[in-house]
């Protein structure tokens, strides 16, 4: 994080009594300007999209893990929609969309459409005729996926519907605010969420069920026991260390391990063609994760 981003992020979360630049000084396992490694047109690309108001930094833990597995990862700051977008010259743009009311279906339709446009722009910049990243030659443009948390997960549907370059999508605990048309969505899709709210028939599962019936390709609906909305992001990890109560009973490190394992398994299956039994049956290693039978409204 740079400039006002850490200060505004802490303020939005209601965190006080800590230095304003604390998040900017938090260590990661990534390095700026590390030389990309690999052969030309061999690396799959994953676009990551954060939740509404959240910065791309909230998905650092997942991004680092995917990069360590040989994926190119592009995390998006959705300008005017997150707490702070910092441009290379230091200019800071705050959350204009946060001032818009009400957050009705028309609002979320606009969010979904805007995010889909952002993703297409990023793909143009990375795989177009004049790529903006020095490692772009490594990307295999036939193997691109998108994953997102919360509104970013919902945005995955909008991006898949708009851009045929994206071959698979993941919604991580986001309301399915972008509807799938009756004609269906044929690309592989993973729904991964908190058991307390996303179990079929549960209090916040109706939007997932509406999307589910129009997913015509490979699909899975998985829930994680003891997780809450923030459990799938760095927010839970850092919040736990700061003594904040997110409401989760599953330790943050464990929820991060689960998120990494299942998102990677999905991507390995659909972008690399590597069989993934983890996605087909209950796992002794991850007993917290339940595979849902949607028609029976049960997960086991």
């Amino acid at each position: 994080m740079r400039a006002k981003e850490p200060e505004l992020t802490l303020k939005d979360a209601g965190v006080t009594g800590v230095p304003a630049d604390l998040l900017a000084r938090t260590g990661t396992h990534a390095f700026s300007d590390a030389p990309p490694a690999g052969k030309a047109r061999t690396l799959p690309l994953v676009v990551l999209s954060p939740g509404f108001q959240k910065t791309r930094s909230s998905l650092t833990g997942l991004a680092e893990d995917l990069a360590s597995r040989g994926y190119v990862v592009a995390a998006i700051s959705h300008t005017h929609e997150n707490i702070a977008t910092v441009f290379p010259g230091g200019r800071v743009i705050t959350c204009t969309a946060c001032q818009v009311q009400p957050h009705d279906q028309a609002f979320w339709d606009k969010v979904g459409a805007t995010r889909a446009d952002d993703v297409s722009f990023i793909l143009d910049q990375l795989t177009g005729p004049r790529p903006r990243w020095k490692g772009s030659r490594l990307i295999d443009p036939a193997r691109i996926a998108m994953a997102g948390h919360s509104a970013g997960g919902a945005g995955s549907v909008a991006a898949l519907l708009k851009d045929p370059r994206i071959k698979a999508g993941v919604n991580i605990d986001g309301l399915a605010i972008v509807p799938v048309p009756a004609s269906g969505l044929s690309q592989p899709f993973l729904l991964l969420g908190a058991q307390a709210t996303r179990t079929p028939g549960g209090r916040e599962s109706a939007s997932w069920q509406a999307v589910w019936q129009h997913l015509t390709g490979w699909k899975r609906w998985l829930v994680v026991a003891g997780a809450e909305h923030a459990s799938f992001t760095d927010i839970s990890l850092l919040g736990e260390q700061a003594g904040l109560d997110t409401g989760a009973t599953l330790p943050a490190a464990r929820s991060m391990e689960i998120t990494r394992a299942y998102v990677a398994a999905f991507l390995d299956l659909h972008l690399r063609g590597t069989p993934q039994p983890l996605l087909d049956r209950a796992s002794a290693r991850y007993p917290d994760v339940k595979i849902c039978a949607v028609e029976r409204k049960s997960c086991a």
Side-chain angles (χ1 to χ4, degrees):
M1 288 188 171
R2 300 179 297 150
K4 297 283 287 184
E5 191 177 1
E7 176 186 341
L8 293 175
T9 299
L10 290 172
K11 182 179 179 181
D12 177 69
V15 177
T16 59
V18 299
D21 65 345
L22 177 65
L23 295 176
R25 294 188 284 109
T26 300
T28 71
H29 299 286
F31 297 87
S32 297
D33 300 319
K39 296 180 181 180
R41 298 174 70 89
T42 62
L43 302 185
L45 168 65
V46 183
V47 178
L48 294 184
S49 177
F52 184 68
Q53 301 185 35
K54 300 300 185 286
T55 69
R56 60 184 178 179
S57 301
S58 64
L59 299 175
T60 296
L62 178 58
E64 288 183 337
D65 182 71
L66 292 173
S68 78
R69 298 173 188 262
Y71 287 90
V72 175
V73 184
I76 299 181
S77 269
H78 295 282
T79 309
H80 298 293
E81 196 199 295
N82 59 15
I83 292 301
T85 298
V86 182
F87 285 86
R91 184 166 61 106
V92 180
I93 303 297
T94 55
C95 186
T96 306
C98 296
Q99 311 306 316
V100 178
Q101 294 295 333
H103 288 180
D104 54 13
Q105 186 59 47
F107 174 84
W108 291 117
D109 286 345
K110 184 62 177 286
V111 169
T114 301
R115 289 190 173 223
D117 287 343
D118 285 350
V119 174
S120 291
F121 174 78
I122 291 297
L123 297 186
D124 292 343
Q125 297 298 301
L126 290 176
T127 66
R130 295 181 178 82
R132 301 295 299 271
W133 177 52
K134 62 184 179 182
S136 289
R137 64 179 182 82
L138 305 178
I139 296 172
D140 180 352
R143 294 191 291 163
I144 298 174
M146 179 180 171
H149 174 253
S150 196
S156 295
V157 170
L160 283 164
L161 291 170
K162 177 181 187 293
D163 199 318
R165 291 174 292 184
I166 307 170
K167 305 305 183 186
V170 183
N171 180 348
I172 305 174
D173 207 58
L175 286 174
I177 53 176
V178 177
V180 177
S183 56
L185 180 64
S186 62
Q187 294 96 319
F189 205 84
L190 173 66
L191 294 163
L192 175 66
Q195 183 179 32
T197 52
R198 307 299 181 198
T199 296
R203 67 178 186 271
E204 294 182 20
S205 66
S207 67
W208 279 25
Q209 290 176 229
V211 164
W212 180 264
Q213 65 179 336
H214 295 306
L215 297 176
T216 60
W218 186 102
K219 57 186 178 181
R220 291 291 184 276
W221 181 323
L222 309 177
V223 294
V224 183
E228 292 295 336
H229 191 56
S231 295
F232 305 92
T233 72
D234 292 27
I235 295 169
S236 180
L237 277 169
L238 299 175
E240 187 177 88
Q241 293 178 50
L244 301 178
D245 182 8
T246 64
T249 58
L250 187 67
R254 176 65 171 173
S255 59
M256 178 61 72
E257 178 187 358
I258 288 170
T259 304
R260 287 170 158 177
Y262 280 85
V263 172
F266 173 81
L267 296 173
D268 282 351
L269 175 61
H270 296 291
L271 296 188
R272 288 176 165 153
T274 307
Q276 298 294 324
L278 186 64
L279 299 171
D280 294 327
R281 62 183 69 96
S283 168
R285 184 174 181 181
Y286 301 109
D288 315 287
V289 181
K290 317 295 181 183
I291 299 176
C292 296
V294 180
E295 293 74 17
R296 297 197 300 267
K297 297 183 179 180
S298 64
C299 303

